[in-house]
Amino acid sequence: MSSAPYNSHFSLIPGCYGVDGESDSIMSSASENSTEPWFCDACKNGVTPSCELCPNQDGIFKETDAGRWVHVVCALYVPGVAFGDIDKLRPVTLTEMNYSKYGAKECSFCEDARFARTGVCISCDAGMCRSYFHVTCAQREGLLSEAAAEEDIADPFFAYCKQHADRFDRKWKRKNYLALQSYCKVSLQEREKQLTPEAQARITTRLQQYRAKAELSRNTRPQAWVPREKLPRPLTSSASAIRKLMRKAELMGISTDIFPVDTSDASASMDGRRKHKQPALTADFVNYYLGEQTSRSRLCASFYEGSKKRNMRMIQIQDNISEQKNLKDKLESEQEKLHVEYSKLCEFLEELLNVNGTLRSEGQALWALLGGIVGQKLSTPAILKAPKERKPSKKEGGTPGKSSSLPAILYSCGICKKNQDQHLLVLCDTCKLYYHLGCLEPPLTRMPKKTKNSYWQCSECDQASSDEADIAMETLPDGTKRSRRQIKGPIKFIPQEMSPEPKKQQLRGTPKEARDCRDLK
C-alpha cells in the first residue's frame, strides 16, 4: 500500500473510488506511482456530507446529480441506484429508485432506534427472509458479499442476514472491518505528526486548487433532471433532518427519549423469527393523539402570542392617551393665557374708544363754536362724525340689550356661556346660537353635515315631531335657497255639544220652480 494515494480520511485503491490516477490530477506529470496528493470528492468540495441512504456518517462519499451525497458502498448495494459514468462511479442518480422505499423498512442492526427507519434498507438475499438492514450497518456486521470477477451475474453485490450468512466468514469480515477502522484512526494521527510544514503547505495548496476546480465544475455542469410530479418522502426518513431536530431539542432543553425502545422486536427481527406482540396502541391512534397535542400546543402558542400583542397594543394606547392628555392640558393652559391677553386687549381698546369719543365731542364743540363765529352752519367733517353704533346679534355672542361698537370675535356657548373650544361650537340655523358638542342633549360626537338644502337645529328649536312639521323653501340674504321646517299649528278643537254649521237645504222641485225661486230672490 506504499504506492496508494494519500487521503486525509482513509487509504484507498484508486480503482475502488472510480479514479484512473491521471484524469483527475491537476499536474500533467502525475502517474500511478506519483506521490501527488489525492483527495476524495467530499474534501474537494469542502463539505461534511451526510448519506441519503443510511444514517452512518463515516466512510467514502460520492455526490449525486442533485447535489446530495451517498456512500459508495450504499450506492453499489441499494437496488435502483444508477451511475452516470460506471468507470468513474459518478454522478450518482437516485431518481430512478422508487421514493416509497425511503423509511419503508426498519433496520435491525441500528444502535439508535430513532435512525432505524431513515434512508433505504435492503433485504436479505435469502429466499423468503424478512430481515432488513442498512448497507453500512450490514458492512459493520460483516454481512456484505461480492461476486468474483469471473462470475458473470447481473447484480454482483448481495448481502445475507446473521441467520443465513456463514458464521466464520461473517466474523472474519467484521474483524477486518474493525481493524481497518482502528488502523485508519491511528495512521491518520501518525501521518499528521510526521508531516513537515512544507508538506502540509503543499497539500493545502493542492487542496485549494482542487476546490477551485470543483467549484468551476459545479457551476458549469448541466442541471439535473427533475421529475415533473412531486415525489413524496417522509421527513423521518432523512437522518440529517433527525439530527438537526435532535440538536434543536437539545438546545431548547427538550428530552428526546419520550418513548421507550422495545428491544424484543429488534431481537426477533435479528433472529428472523416472529414473536407474538402484546396488545398496544395503533400507530394511527398515536399519530392522532400526537396531532391533537400539537394542535393544542399551537393553539395555546397562538393565544399567548395574541394576548401578548394585545397587551403591547394596550400599553401603546395608554401611552398615546397620556401623551394626548398632556398635550390637551398644555393647549388649555395656553388658551387660558390667550383669553386673558384677549380680555386685556379688549379693555385697552374700550379705553381708547372712550378717549376717542371724548376727543370727538370736544372737536364737535369747537367746530360748532367756529360756526357761530363765522355766522353760518358749517358741515361737520367726517372725522368728527360719530360712528354708527352696531347692535351685536346673538350669532356674535352678544346680549340683545347691550350695544357696543366692538365686534365679538369669540363665540360663546348658549348653554355653558363659555367661549372655550371654538372648534367644537356648532351653529343652530334657527336660533342662531352656538353650542358645544358636549353641552347638547344628547351630546354629539362629530360636527353635523350641512348642505344648501339642509340645516341643523338644536334640541330646543326642534321639539316638534316630524308629523307636525312641513318643509318649505327659504331664501337666504345672499340669494340662496334652502329647505326649512315649518311648525303647523294645532288643529282647532270642536266640542261635541256644538254641532257644525247646518248646510243650506237644497231646493227640491222641478227645474222651472227652481228658476222661479232664484228670480224671486
Side-chain angles (χ1 to χ4, degrees), residues 153-334:
I153 58 177
D155 190 3
F157 304 101
F158 53 92
Y160 293 110
C161 63
K162 290 183 177 180
Q163 186 178 1
H164 296 99
D166 184 73
R167 185 178 59 177
F168 298 100
D169 189 25
R170 178 172 62 85
K171 289 185 178 180
W172 177 74
K173 290 180 180 179
R174 176 175 172 78
K175 181 179 179 181
N176 290 341
Y177 176 82
L178 296 177
L180 180 61
Q181 293 289 329
S182 177
Y183 169 76
C184 290
K185 293 180 180 178
V186 174
S187 61
L188 177 60
Q189 297 176 359
E190 292 179 355
R191 284 196 296 268
E192 289 179 353
K193 293 179 180 179
Q194 295 176 0
L195 281 177
T196 60
E198 294 79 6
Q200 186 65 34
R202 173 170 165 267
I203 293 174
T204 305
T205 304
R206 291 290 183 268
L207 181 59
Q208 295 297 332
Q209 295 176 358
Y210 276 114
R211 287 183 177 178
K213 182 180 178 182
E215 182 69 20
L216 180 61
S217 176
R218 189 187 305 111
N219 296 332
T220 56
R221 69 183 177 186
Q223 189 175 4
W225 176 83
V226 179
R228 295 182 179 178
E229 298 181 358
K230 293 183 178 180
L231 302 176
R233 178 184 173 184
L235 182 62
T236 54
S237 65
S238 177
S240 59
I242 291 181
R243 290 192 185 94
K244 292 178 182 178
L245 293 175
M246 292 174 59
R247 178 58 179 168
K248 181 178 180 181
E250 180 183 355
L251 295 176
M252 295 177 64
I254 302 174
S255 176
T256 57
D257 299 331
I258 300 177
F259 302 102
V261 179
D262 190 3
T263 57
S264 60
D265 295 342
S267 61
S269 59
M270 289 173 62
D271 297 337
R273 299 187 301 269
R274 283 187 176 182
K275 288 187 178 181
H276 177 69
K277 295 183 179 180
Q278 297 294 333
L281 299 177
T282 62
D284 295 337
F285 179 80
V286 173
N287 293 333
Y288 170 75
Y289 178 77
L290 294 177
E292 287 292 329
Q293 294 294 329
T294 304
S295 61
R296 289 181 183 178
S297 61
R298 289 178 180 175
L299 181 62
C300 293
S302 62
F303 177 77
Y304 173 75
E305 291 294 334
S307 61
K308 186 177 180 181
K309 291 181 180 178
R310 286 193 295 271
N311 294 336
M312 294 297 295
R313 182 61 178 169
M314 290 297 297
I315 294 174
Q316 293 178 358
I317 291 176
Q318 291 176 358
D319 295 340
N320 190 14
I321 290 175
S322 61
E323 292 178 1
Q324 296 296 331
K325 187 176 180 180
N326 296 333
L327 180 61
K328 177 177 175 296
D329 296 339
K330 182 180 179 181
L331 294 177
E332 286 182 351
S333 62
E334 292 180 358

Side-chain angles (χ1 to χ4, degrees), residues 38-256:
W38 179 83
F39 306 95
C40 63
D41 292 350
C43 292
K44 290 179 182 178
N45 289 271
V47 296
T48 304
S50 178
C51 184
E52 293 291 317
L53 301 177
C54 73
N56 298 314
Q57 294 180 300
D58 296 332
I60 55 176
F61 291 86
K62 281 287 186 178
E63 188 177 8
T64 65
D65 53 357
R68 303 288 183 174
W69 294 87
V70 294
H71 287 110
V72 176
V73 65
C74 292
L76 292 174
Y77 279 85
V78 173
V81 180
F83 296 94
D85 190 347
I86 300 178
D87 296 333
K88 295 184 180 181
L89 299 179
R90 64 180 182 186
V92 184
T93 303
L94 301 179
T95 54
E96 297 183 8
M97 181 180 57
N98 190 358
Y99 267 42
S100 61
K101 292 184 178 181
Y102 285 98
K105 301 299 179 180
E106 183 177 355
C107 179
S108 57
F109 300 132
C110 277
E111 298 176 354
D112 193 344
R114 290 169 293 190
F115 294 94
R117 283 192 174 270
T118 58
V120 178
C121 293
I122 61 175
S123 62
C124 177
D125 286 327
M128 304 299 291
C129 184
R130 296 187 178 182
S131 297
Y132 297 92
F133 37 80
H134 293 116
V135 175
T136 51
C137 294
Q139 184 185 24
R140 184 181 65 247
E141 298 296 332
L143 302 177
L144 298 182
S145 300
E146 184 179 354
E150 59 272 8
E151 297 182 14
D152 189 9
I153 58 177
D155 190 3
F157 304 101
F158 53 92
Y160 293 110
C161 63
K162 290 183 177 180
Q163 186 178 1
H164 296 99
D166 184 73
R167 185 178 59 177
F168 298 100
D169 189 25
R170 178 172 62 85
K171 289 185 178 180
W172 177 74
K173 290 180 180 179
R174 176 175 172 78
K175 181 179 179 181
N176 290 341
Y177 176 82
L178 296 177
L180 180 61
Q181 293 289 329
S182 177
Y183 169 76
C184 290
K185 293 180 180 178
V186 174
S187 61
L188 177 60
Q189 297 176 359
E190 292 179 355
R191 284 196 296 268
E192 289 179 353
K193 293 179 180 179
Q194 295 176 0
L195 281 177
T196 60
E198 294 79 6
Q200 186 65 34
R202 173 170 165 267
I203 293 174
T204 305
T205 304
R206 291 290 183 268
L207 181 59
Q208 295 297 332
Q209 295 176 358
Y210 276 114
R211 287 183 177 178
K213 182 180 178 182
E215 182 69 20
L216 180 61
S217 176
R218 189 187 305 111
N219 296 332
T220 56
R221 69 183 177 186
Q223 189 175 4
W225 176 83
V226 179
R228 295 182 179 178
E229 298 181 358
K230 293 183 178 180
L231 302 176
R233 178 184 173 184
L235 182 62
T236 54
S237 65
S238 177
S240 59
I242 291 181
R243 290 192 185 94
K244 292 178 182 178
L245 293 175
M246 292 174 59
R247 178 58 179 168
K248 181 178 180 181
E250 180 183 355
L251 295 176
M252 295 177 64
I254 302 174
S255 176
T256 57

